[in-house]
Amino acid sequence: MTAPSCFSKRFTEEWLFRATLRNSLRAWAASQRSSWLRVPQVLHTDDRELRIDYEFLAGWNPLHTVLRDRAFAGLPATELTHMFWMVGAALEEFHRRTHRIHGDFDFDNILVQRGADRIVFVDFTPPEYSAFRRYNQENPYRDIATFVLFVRAKYPPQLLYLAFRPQLRELARMFIEGYFRDAPADYDRSMLDRHINELLQSTYLGKTFSARYLRRSRLFRTDDMAPGS
């Protein structure tokens, strides 16, 4: 079977179409100057159908396929930790080169491939819970907190036991290590705490069973996240 040549996304509102296109083009331009980040190229747009056609990246899978596997998809520990370090490095480059945040930095929107030397970011559509169009000009810790929260606690009830795997603490810390690789002293734990709390109060995350249950555990603590800890 021939692999598809593109991935198409359609929109119901013109402002979402234009915001996504603008964000996608900005992210792709940033990735061209990046060491760790890859972004699918926009191949074609249709203003009447409100459609964007993206480069199709065969062989790449959402990061959740690794995190929600009991054995982390069989990846050796060194390869697994390096993958999460690269996610942090790619996010830092994205922030620095676009002067924007992703805004929905869910592990569904991060694609990985075994042995790859880059991380792919996708889906630059404003998330449903963004109440204003300048959502992606917020503090970079919004993306950092989203990722840490999802790595350590975003599991459906039937997979909740996966959240207690001891490796998750190290994977989240390696993400922080990658992000602050050139400036570890810039890491601000209070900012991470603040944005985790804001996410739990202002988005659907705080209403989920997993968040309510796991918030009482040490999984939401950040005292073990500092680079080099």
Side-chain angles (χ1 to χ4, degrees), residues 14 43 46 52 69 78 83 100-101 108 118 139 143 146 149 181 196-197 211 217:
E14 184 176 356
L43 302 177
D46 190 314
I52 302 175
D69 182 87
T78 53
M83 179 181 288
R100 298 289 189 276
I101 69 169
D108 292 333
R118 293 193 179 216
N139 191 300
D143 282 346
T146 299
L149 193 59
R181 65 198 180 282
I196 285 177
N197 286 328
S217 78

Side-chain angles (χ1 to χ4, degrees), residues 143-156:
D143 282 346
I144 297 171
T146 299
F147 188 78
V148 169
L149 193 59
F150 285 1
V151 168
R152 303 192 77 173
K154 191 186 179 186
Y155 298 89

Side-chain angles (χ1 to χ4, degrees), residues 29-82:
S31 74
Q32 298 307 290
R33 298 178 290 135
S34 170
S35 301
W36 306 104
L37 175 64
R38 183 175 178 183
V39 172
Q41 185 176 5
V42 173
L43 302 177
H44 181 261
T45 63
D46 190 314
D47 293 354
R48 291 177 297 178
E49 293 188 6
L50 301 182
R51 190 189 79 238
I52 302 175
D53 297 332
Y54 293 96
E55 169 191 11
F56 181 79
L57 301 179
W60 293 80
N61 297 297
L63 186 58
H64 78 249
T65 61
V66 173
L67 275 172
R68 288 185 175 169
D69 182 87
R70 179 194 290 260
F72 299 104
L75 291 172
T78 53
E79 189 174 344
L80 185 63
T81 54
H82 182 62

Side-chain angles (χ1 to χ4, degrees), residues 3 16 19 24 29 33 52-53 71 93 98 105-106 119 122 131 155 158 160 164 168 184 189 193 202 205 215 224:
L16 277 175
S24 299
R33 298 178 290 135
I52 302 175
D53 297 332
E93 286 192 323
T98 66
F105 202 58
D106 191 331
I119 300 294
V122 299
Y155 298 89
Q158 73 273 17
L160 196 57
F164 292 95
L168 293 180
R189 178 188 166 189
D193 285 339
S202 64
L205 292 171
R215 198 174 189 184
D224 55 1

Side-chain angles (χ1 to χ4, degrees), residues 110-131:
I110 302 164
L111 306 185
V112 296
Q113 184 181 71
R114 187 163 187 172
D117 59 0
R118 293 193 179 216
I119 300 294
V120 175
F121 293 172
V122 299
D123 196 358
F124 298 96
T125 302
E128 291 182 5
Y129 55 77
S130 62

